[in-house]
Amino acid sequence: MIHLFKEGQPEHPVLLLLHGTGGNERDLLPLAAYIDPQAAVLSVRGNVSEQGMPRFFRRLAEGVFDEEDLIYRTKELNDFLDDAAKQYTFNRKNIVALGFSNGANIAGSLLFHYQEALKGAILCHPMVPRRGLSLPKLAGTPVFIGAGRRDPLIPQEETLELEDILIQADAKVLLHWEEGGHQLTQTELHAAQRWYSKTFL
Ligand code: MLT
């Protein structure tokens, strides 16, 4: 997968950056620098192109996922993380994802499918990636969800459903609400940063 890697302090997590639809591996670099300037950064570009816009998996319509491709791409990303940990010699169990929108959805899908894919996750404006699935035991995996009360793509019930599914799987979830829509805001990032520092540093 196309990606970039930046070394960090070994006692800090490795931040896995996952952009939104139409983004690339450079988009979330300022966010990583804000959340944890000393963390190593692994930033990945989605392998799927929707009319030239990079994404992490295909969709059939807005908010309607191609489930077969989602499963395939989730495995592809998980395998890539195994390889990247070897290539860049970091601890595979020390990865915290930071994903926005489509990137938050593939990060959520990693949690839904693989027990130790992530040490934790910051999911900014995520959806429920799949339904009717029995999740692996997430054994206290910390997850921050940033959501907008007026998100035109994601009804509040869907955010609450995602929170509930993750809690049922034993994840430790902090749900942060913004009054706005699908965009990332400074107050959301600030909340994510405070949560990250308390949780991982
Ligand atoms: C998705 O397709 O992952 C969601 O609809 C969010 C987005 O627009 O990327």
CSV table of all heavy atoms in Angstrom, one decimal, residues 168-199:
chain,number,residue,atom,x,y,z
A,168,GLN,N,-20.2,-3.9,23.9
A,168,GLN,CA,-20.6,-5.3,24.0
A,168,GLN,C,-19.4,-6.2,23.8
A,168,GLN,O,-19.3,-7.3,24.4
A,168,GLN,CB,-21.7,-5.7,23.0
A,168,GLN,CG,-23.0,-5.0,23.2
A,168,GLN,CD,-23.6,-5.3,24.6
A,168,GLN,OE1,-23.4,-6.4,25.2
A,168,GLN,NE2,-24.2,-4.3,25.2
A,169,ALA,N,-18.4,-5.7,23.0
A,169,ALA,CA,-17.2,-6.5,22.7
A,169,ALA,C,-16.1,-6.2,23.7
A,169,ALA,O,-14.9,-6.6,23.5
A,169,ALA,CB,-16.7,-6.3,21.3
A,170,ASP,N,-16.5,-5.4,24.8
A,170,ASP,CA,-15.5,-5.1,25.9
A,170,ASP,C,-14.5,-4.0,25.5
A,170,ASP,O,-13.5,-3.9,26.2
A,170,ASP,CB,-14.7,-6.3,26.3
A,170,ASP,CG,-15.5,-7.2,27.2
A,170,ASP,OD1,-16.6,-6.7,27.7
A,170,ASP,OD2,-15.1,-8.3,27.5
A,171,ALA,N,-14.8,-3.2,24.5
A,171,ALA,CA,-13.9,-2.0,24.3
A,171,ALA,C,-14.3,-1.0,25.3
A,171,ALA,O,-15.4,-1.0,25.9
A,171,ALA,CB,-14.2,-1.5,22.9
A,172,LYS,N,-13.4,-0.1,25.5
A,172,LYS,CA,-13.6,1.0,26.5
A,172,LYS,C,-13.8,2.3,25.6
A,172,LYS,O,-12.9,2.8,25.1
A,172,LYS,CB,-12.4,1.2,27.4
A,172,LYS,CG,-12.7,1.5,28.8
A,172,LYS,CD,-11.4,1.5,29.6
A,172,LYS,CE,-11.6,2.5,30.7
A,172,LYS,NZ,-10.5,3.3,31.0
A,173,VAL,N,-15.1,2.7,25.5
A,173,VAL,CA,-15.4,3.7,24.5
A,173,VAL,C,-15.7,5.1,25.2
A,173,VAL,O,-16.4,5.2,26.2
A,173,VAL,CB,-16.7,3.3,23.8
A,173,VAL,CG1,-17.0,4.3,22.7
A,173,VAL,CG2,-16.5,1.9,23.1
A,174,LEU,N,-15.1,6.1,24.6
A,174,LEU,CA,-15.5,7.5,24.9
A,174,LEU,C,-16.2,8.1,23.7
A,174,LEU,O,-15.6,8.2,22.6
A,174,LEU,CB,-14.3,8.4,25.3
A,174,LEU,CG,-14.8,9.8,25.7
A,174,LEU,CD1,-15.2,9.9,27.2
A,174,LEU,CD2,-13.8,10.8,25.4
A,175,LEU,N,-17.4,8.5,23.9
A,175,LEU,CA,-18.2,9.1,22.8
A,175,LEU,C,-18.2,10.6,23.0
A,175,LEU,O,-18.7,11.1,24.0
A,175,LEU,CB,-19.6,8.5,22.7
A,175,LEU,CG,-20.6,9.1,21.7
A,175,LEU,CD1,-20.0,9.2,20.3
A,175,LEU,CD2,-21.9,8.4,21.8
A,176,HIS,N,-17.7,11.3,22.0
A,176,HIS,CA,-17.7,12.8,22.1
A,176,HIS,C,-18.6,13.4,21.0
A,176,HIS,O,-18.4,13.1,19.9
A,176,HIS,CB,-16.2,13.3,21.9
A,176,HIS,CG,-16.1,14.8,21.7
A,176,HIS,ND1,-16.1,15.6,22.8
A,176,HIS,CD2,-16.2,15.5,20.6
A,176,HIS,CE1,-16.0,16.9,22.4
A,176,HIS,NE2,-16.1,16.8,21.0
A,177,TRP,N,-19.6,14.2,21.5
A,177,TRP,CA,-20.5,14.8,20.5
A,177,TRP,C,-20.1,16.2,20.2
A,177,TRP,O,-19.8,17.0,21.1
A,177,TRP,CB,-21.9,14.8,21.1
A,177,TRP,CG,-22.6,13.5,21.1
A,177,TRP,CD1,-22.8,12.7,22.2
A,177,TRP,CD2,-23.1,12.8,20.0
A,177,TRP,NE1,-23.5,11.6,21.8
A,177,TRP,CE2,-23.7,11.6,20.5
A,177,TRP,CE3,-23.2,13.0,18.6
A,177,TRP,CZ2,-24.3,10.7,19.6
A,177,TRP,CZ3,-23.8,12.1,17.8
A,177,TRP,CH2,-24.4,10.9,18.3
A,178,GLU,N,-20.2,16.5,18.9
A,178,GLU,CA,-20.1,17.9,18.4
A,178,GLU,C,-21.5,18.3,18.0
A,178,GLU,O,-22.3,17.4,17.6
A,178,GLU,CB,-19.1,18.0,17.2
A,178,GLU,CG,-17.7,17.8,17.6
A,178,GLU,CD,-17.1,19.0,18.3
A,178,GLU,OE1,-17.3,20.1,17.8
A,178,GLU,OE2,-16.4,18.8,19.3
A,179,GLU,N,-21.8,19.6,18.0
A,179,GLU,CA,-23.1,20.0,17.5
A,179,GLU,C,-23.2,20.0,16.0
A,179,GLU,O,-24.3,20.0,15.4
A,179,GLU,CB,-23.4,21.5,18.0
A,179,GLU,CG,-23.6,21.5,19.5
A,179,GLU,CD,-24.7,20.5,20.0
A,179,GLU,OE1,-25.8,20.4,19.3
A,179,GLU,OE2,-24.5,19.8,21.0
A,180,GLY,N,-22.1,20.0,15.3
A,180,GLY,CA,-22.1,20.2,13.8
A,180,GLY,C,-22.3,18.9,13.0
A,180,GLY,O,-22.9,17.9,13.5
A,181,GLY,N,-21.7,18.9,11.8
A,181,GLY,CA,-22.0,17.8,10.9
A,181,GLY,C,-20.8,16.8,10.7
A,181,GLY,O,-20.3,16.3,11.7
A,182,HIS,N,-20.5,16.5,9.5
A,182,HIS,CA,-19.5,15.4,9.2
A,182,HIS,C,-18.0,15.9,9.2
A,182,HIS,O,-17.1,15.1,9.0
A,182,HIS,CB,-19.8,14.8,7.8
A,182,HIS,CG,-19.2,13.5,7.6
A,182,HIS,ND1,-19.6,12.4,8.3
A,182,HIS,CD2,-18.3,13.0,6.8
A,182,HIS,CE1,-18.9,11.3,8.0
A,182,HIS,NE2,-18.1,11.7,7.0
A,183,GLN,N,-17.8,17.2,9.5
A,183,GLN,CA,-16.5,17.7,9.4
A,183,GLN,C,-15.7,17.6,10.8
A,183,GLN,O,-16.4,17.6,11.8
A,183,GLN,CB,-16.5,19.2,9.0
A,183,GLN,CG,-17.0,20.2,10.0
A,183,GLN,CD,-18.5,20.3,10.1
A,183,GLN,OE1,-19.2,19.4,9.5
A,183,GLN,NE2,-19.1,21.2,10.8
A,184,LEU,N,-14.4,17.6,10.7
A,184,LEU,CA,-13.6,17.5,11.9
A,184,LEU,C,-13.5,19.0,12.4
A,184,LEU,O,-13.3,19.9,11.7
A,184,LEU,CB,-12.2,17.2,11.5
A,184,LEU,CG,-11.8,15.7,11.6
A,184,LEU,CD1,-10.4,15.5,10.9
A,184,LEU,CD2,-11.8,15.3,13.0
A,185,THR,N,-13.6,19.1,13.8
A,185,THR,CA,-13.5,20.4,14.4
A,185,THR,C,-12.4,20.5,15.4
A,185,THR,O,-11.9,19.4,15.9
A,185,THR,CB,-14.8,20.8,15.1
A,185,THR,OG1,-15.0,19.8,16.2
A,185,THR,CG2,-16.0,20.8,14.2
A,186,GLN,N,-12.0,21.7,15.7
A,186,GLN,CA,-10.9,21.9,16.7
A,186,GLN,C,-11.3,21.3,18.0
A,186,GLN,O,-10.5,20.7,18.7
A,186,GLN,CB,-10.7,23.4,16.7
A,186,GLN,CG,-9.3,23.8,17.3
A,186,GLN,CD,-8.2,23.1,16.6
A,186,GLN,OE1,-8.1,23.1,15.4
A,186,GLN,NE2,-7.3,22.5,17.4
A,187,THR,N,-12.5,21.5,18.4
A,187,THR,CA,-12.9,21.0,19.8
A,187,THR,C,-12.9,19.5,19.8
A,187,THR,O,-12.6,18.9,20.9
A,187,THR,CB,-14.3,21.6,20.2
A,187,THR,OG1,-15.2,21.4,19.1
A,187,THR,CG2,-14.3,23.0,20.6
A,188,GLU,N,-13.3,18.9,18.7
A,188,GLU,CA,-13.3,17.4,18.7
A,188,GLU,C,-11.8,16.9,18.8
A,188,GLU,O,-11.5,16.0,19.5
A,188,GLU,CB,-13.9,17.0,17.4
A,188,GLU,CG,-13.8,15.5,17.1
A,188,GLU,CD,-14.5,15.2,15.8
A,188,GLU,OE1,-15.2,16.0,15.2
A,188,GLU,OE2,-14.4,14.0,15.3
A,189,LEU,N,-10.9,17.6,18.1
A,189,LEU,CA,-9.5,17.2,18.1
A,189,LEU,C,-8.9,17.4,19.5
A,189,LEU,O,-8.1,16.6,20.0
A,189,LEU,CB,-8.7,18.0,17.1
A,189,LEU,CG,-8.9,17.5,15.6
A,189,LEU,CD1,-8.2,18.4,14.7
A,189,LEU,CD2,-8.4,16.1,15.5
A,190,HIS,N,-9.3,18.5,20.1
A,190,HIS,CA,-8.9,18.8,21.4
A,190,HIS,C,-9.3,17.7,22.4
A,190,HIS,O,-8.5,17.2,23.2
A,190,HIS,CB,-9.4,20.2,21.9
A,190,HIS,CG,-8.9,20.6,23.2
A,190,HIS,ND1,-7.6,20.8,23.5
A,190,HIS,CD2,-9.6,20.8,24.4
A,190,HIS,CE1,-7.5,21.2,24.7
A,190,HIS,NE2,-8.7,21.2,25.3
A,191,ALA,N,-10.6,17.3,22.3
A,191,ALA,CA,-11.1,16.2,23.2
A,191,ALA,C,-10.3,14.9,22.9
A,191,ALA,O,-10.0,14.2,23.8
A,191,ALA,CB,-12.6,16.0,22.9
A,192,ALA,N,-10.1,14.6,21.6
A,192,ALA,CA,-9.3,13.4,21.2
A,192,ALA,C,-7.9,13.5,21.8
A,192,ALA,O,-7.4,12.4,22.3
A,192,ALA,CB,-9.3,13.3,19.7
A,193,GLN,N,-7.3,14.6,21.8
A,193,GLN,CA,-5.9,14.8,22.3
A,193,GLN,C,-5.9,14.5,23.8
A,193,GLN,O,-5.0,13.8,24.3
A,193,GLN,CB,-5.4,16.2,21.9
A,193,GLN,CG,-3.9,16.3,21.9
A,193,GLN,CD,-3.3,16.4,23.3
A,193,GLN,OE1,-4.0,17.0,24.2
A,193,GLN,NE2,-2.1,15.9,23.5
A,194,ARG,N,-6.9,15.1,24.5
A,194,ARG,CA,-6.9,14.9,26.0
A,194,ARG,C,-7.1,13.4,26.3
A,194,ARG,O,-6.5,12.9,27.2
A,194,ARG,CB,-8.0,15.8,26.6
A,194,ARG,CG,-7.6,17.2,26.7
A,194,ARG,CD,-8.6,18.1,27.4
A,194,ARG,NE,-9.2,17.5,28.5
A,194,ARG,CZ,-10.4,17.8,29.0
A,194,ARG,NH1,-11.1,18.8,28.5
A,194,ARG,NH2,-10.9,17.2,30.1
A,195,TRP,N,-8.0,12.8,25.6
A,195,TRP,CA,-8.3,11.4,25.8
A,195,TRP,C,-7.1,10.5,25.5
A,195,TRP,O,-6.7,9.7,26.3
A,195,TRP,CB,-9.5,11.0,24.9
A,195,TRP,CG,-9.7,9.5,24.9
A,195,TRP,CD1,-10.5,8.8,25.7
A,195,TRP,CD2,-9.2,8.6,23.9
A,195,TRP,NE1,-10.5,7.4,25.3
A,195,TRP,CE2,-9.7,7.3,24.2
A,195,TRP,CE3,-8.4,8.7,22.8
A,195,TRP,CZ2,-9.4,6.1,23.5
A,195,TRP,CZ3,-8.0,7.6,22.1
A,195,TRP,CH2,-8.6,6.3,22.4
A,196,TYR,N,-6.4,10.8,24.4
A,196,TYR,CA,-5.2,10.1,24.0
A,196,TYR,C,-4.1,10.2,25.1
A,196,TYR,O,-3.5,9.2,25.5
A,196,TYR,CB,-4.7,10.6,22.7
A,196,TYR,CG,-3.4,10.0,22.2
A,196,TYR,CD1,-3.4,9.0,21.3
A,196,TYR,CD2,-2.2,10.6,22.6
A,196,TYR,CE1,-2.2,8.4,20.9
A,196,TYR,CE2,-1.0,10.0,22.1
A,196,TYR,CZ,-1.0,9.0,21.3
A,196,TYR,OH,0.2,8.4,20.8
A,197,SER,N,-3.9,11.4,25.5
A,197,SER,CA,-2.8,11.7,26.5
A,197,SER,C,-3.1,10.9,27.8
A,197,SER,O,-2.2,10.3,28.4
A,197,SER,CB,-2.7,13.1,26.9
A,197,SER,OG,-2.3,13.9,25.7
A,198,LYS,N,-4.3,11.0,28.3
A,198,LYS,CA,-4.7,10.2,29.5
A,198,LYS,C,-4.6,8.7,29.3
A,198,LYS,O,-4.3,8.0,30.2
A,198,LYS,CB,-6.2,10.6,29.9
A,198,LYS,CG,-6.3,11.7,30.9
A,198,LYS,CD,-7.6,11.7,31.5
A,198,LYS,CE,-8.5,12.7,30.8
A,198,LYS,NZ,-9.9,12.6,31.0
A,199,THR,N,-4.9,8.3,28.1
A,199,THR,CA,-5.0,6.8,27.9
A,199,THR,C,-3.7,6.2,27.6
A,199,THR,O,-3.4,5.1,28.0
A,199,THR,CB,-6.0,6.6,26.7
A,199,THR,OG1,-7.2,7.3,26.9
A,199,THR,CG2,-6.3,5.1,26.5
